[in-house]
Amino acid sequence: MNCIVRSALGRLLFADRGRLFPTLSAARAMSSSGGPTPPFTTLSVTHPDHHITHVELHRPEKRNAMNKAYWSEMVDCFNQIAEDSECRAVVFSGAGKMFTAGIDLMDIAGDLLQPQGDDSARIAWYLRAVVSKYQNTFSVIEKCPKPVVVAVHGACIGAGVDLITACDIRLCTQDAWFQVKEVDIGLAADVGTLQRLPKVIGSRSLVNELALTARKMYSDEAKSCGLVSRVFPDKDSMIAGALEIASEIAGRSPVAVQGTKINLLYSRDHSVTDGLDYMATWNMSMLQTQDLMKSAQAALEKKSPKDVTFSKL
């Protein structure tokens, strides 16, 4: 009899798990998507919660290596997200056993090893266009006004580091590791790592060591140096944590959130004086938003910003 009761209770708790723990339930749904979302062939795009978009790199059979289709699909995807007035925050992750193995060299070898052109000048122009295209794949994440929370599990190799340094908030699992791999394959990293990683970590010596030796950095060191802000025991808890952060962001005024991201990035690349001048110019219009009055009223009434209905942006 006790076995029957325990079994019945277990089924009841499992069935009720989504109601009792909605974040965990949504996280499990996010981390087990069925495949790429048409028209994409390398990305799965879902909407696990109100105003949140989840983008998943979905080539698990290829260790999420970035093939030719991926480089253009990421641009299309994040351009759409930038224009989506329903979206206020993005979670980015990888399907399968690891985040990404980096560039799919077998797929894009033709572009790099057999460049088009009649002479060295024309070959150089062709290669410059190829590299610029690949750079834009990650710059589009940075340019997207919606904050992007990236969740890394397992390996994050080569172009994966380029990708995560373009994101706004970085999380990882305990088994995660990171590697600036490019020197091992005969080239200097050219799509963002050498430009963004020094500003993320802040230690030139550590960046130089990682980039020049291609050694692996594990999750504890990634946390201590500031590459990631939080480390989770496993992928499910990490995705749940990413969703929770995205939910907190999505619950705030989109005018305030997007203005904050844009000005943080501007200030990163300019002097304090330039950043203050830009902020003053920005807020000369943004302070006229109704979101300010709504947020202030909620604070006076001791309500959460999540209780406020903000208009689309």
Side-chain angles (χ1 to χ4, degrees):
M1 179 63 74
N2 287 339
C3 292
I4 296 174
V5 171
R6 284 197 299 269
S7 177
L9 181 59
R11 289 195 299 271
L12 177 61
L13 288 174
F14 183 82
D16 226 19
R17 195 173 180 86
R19 180 178 64 82
L20 294 173
F21 305 105
T23 300
L24 180 59
S25 180
R28 292 188 186 280
M30 288 171 68
S31 61
S32 58
S33 58
T37 307
F40 303 124
T41 61
T42 66
L43 303 173
S44 169
V45 182
T46 55
H47 305 280
D49 205 352
H50 201 43
H51 299 307
I52 298 174
T53 299
H54 177 221
V55 181
E56 186 179 49
L57 176 51
H58 206 289
R59 299 188 75 219
E61 73 287 353
K62 296 292 185 179
R63 302 189 302 165
N64 289 330
M66 302 170 184
N67 63 355
K68 285 183 180 180
Y70 165 84
W71 298 94
S72 57
E73 289 183 359
M74 277 283 287
V75 175
D76 293 341
C77 179
F78 274 88
N79 280 338
Q80 291 174 26
I81 289 172
E83 297 298 323
D84 182 3
S85 61
E86 291 286 351
C87 177
R88 296 181 185 175
V90 182
V91 172
F92 190 98
S93 67
K97 296 181 179 180
M98 62 189 295
F99 183 70
T100 180
I103 291 176
D104 188 335
L105 287 173
M106 296 300 293
D107 191 67
I108 67 171
D111 288 344
L112 301 178
L113 303 181
Q114 297 176 324
Q116 301 174 13
D118 296 330
D119 57 27
S120 59
R122 287 163 178 80
I123 292 173
W125 276 104
Y126 169 79
L127 286 173
R128 189 180 195 281
V130 170
V131 173
S132 295
K133 174 186 175 182
Y134 291 168
Q135 289 175 343
N136 190 43
T137 297
F138 302 132
S139 292
V140 74
I141 300 174
E142 193 172 75
K143 293 175 183 177
C144 176
K146 319 300 171 66
V148 181
V149 182
V150 65
V152 180
H153 74 290
C156 177
I157 303 171
V161 179
D162 296 283
L163 189 160
I164 67 169
T165 54
C167 298
D168 302 292
I169 298 172
R170 288 169 293 278
L171 314 175
C172 76
T173 55
Q174 286 180 345
D175 69 346
W177 53 273
F178 307 83
Q179 187 177 25
V180 184
K181 183 72 172 172
E182 282 80 357
V183 292
D184 277 354
I185 56 174
L187 71 147
D190 56 2
V191 289
T193 289
L194 302 185
Q195 292 69 40
R196 295 188 177 99
L197 189 58
K199 296 183 178 182
V200 169
I201 292 179
S203 169
R204 277 280 173 178
S205 178
L206 178 56
V207 171
N208 292 348
E209 180 188 344
L210 295 171
L212 295 171
T213 67
R215 77 164 174 86
K216 296 177 181 179
M217 172 190 279
Y218 294 93
S219 59
D220 55 346
E221 186 180 5
K223 173 68 162 57
S224 66
C225 77
L227 178 60
V228 300
S229 54
R230 294 174 64 183
V231 178
F232 294 82
D234 52 48
K235 185 179 181 182
D236 280 344
S237 61
M238 176 184 63
I239 295 295
L243 181 59
E244 190 67 32
I245 293 172
S247 179
E248 290 295 326
I249 294 170
R252 270 64 183 177
S253 157
V255 173
V257 167
Q258 294 180 40
T260 296
K261 172 172 178 173
I262 290 167
N263 278 275
L264 281 171
L265 288 169
Y266 186 91
S267 294
R268 182 196 65 184
D269 299 329
H270 296 80
S271 69
V272 172
T273 299
D274 288 345
L276 288 170
D277 286 343
Y278 189 78
M279 189 75 249
T281 302
W282 183 271
N283 263 358
M284 67 189 288
S285 56
M286 295 299 105
L287 285 176
Q288 300 179 59
T289 178
Q290 289 295 314
D291 292 12
L292 182 60
M293 297 302 297
K294 291 179 179 179
S295 298
Q297 184 64 34
L300 289 172
E301 297 175 358
K302 301 187 183 303
K303 294 181 179 179
S304 167
K306 292 183 178 182
D307 295 328
V308 181
T309 301
F310 296 109
S311 299
K312 297 178 182 180
L313 181 65

